[in-house]
Amino acid sequence: LVVGAVDAGTRSKLGLGASEGVRIARVASLAARQAGLNAGDVVLQVGKTPVATPAEFEAALKGVKAGDRVRLLVRNAQSTGLVTVVAG
């Protein structure tokens, strides 16, 4: 996943605070697409770790190896839910 900062319009639309989440800019892996992740979705947590910046997102994934399952808390315009992705 390629992530970036969440813009003010998206924060308002999704009811997010100033320090909540990172926006998915690009879904680079088939596994992530198959898990239902889309560009524009907002990742709130990696495992049980809240993320508010791309650097925090990357730090939360440090140590994850190919084949590991990673649970993400994701919000989009339709819902908020847990998504499990197999790291590639």
Side-chain angles (χ1 to χ4, degrees), residues 53-73:
T53 66
E56 289 178 359
F57 178 81
E58 294 298 326
L61 290 174
K62 193 172 185 166
V64 172
K65 300 176 193 79
D68 287 351
R69 292 180 173 273
V70 179
R71 292 186 76 174
L72 305 174
L73 180 61

Side-chain angles (χ1 to χ4, degrees), residues 3-4 6 12 16 21 24 31 37 40-41 43 45-49 53 55-56 58 62 70 86:
V3 300
V6 181
S12 176
L16 298 172
I24 298 175
L37 296 175
D41 290 350
V43 178
Q45 292 181 358
V46 176
K48 294 183 180 187
T49 304
T53 66
E56 289 178 359
E58 294 298 326
K62 193 172 185 166
V70 179
V86 177

Side-chain angles (χ1 to χ4, degrees), residues 4 8 15 29 34 38 51 53 62 67 84:
S29 75
Q34 288 176 335
N38 296 294
V51 293
T53 66
K62 193 172 185 166
T84 301

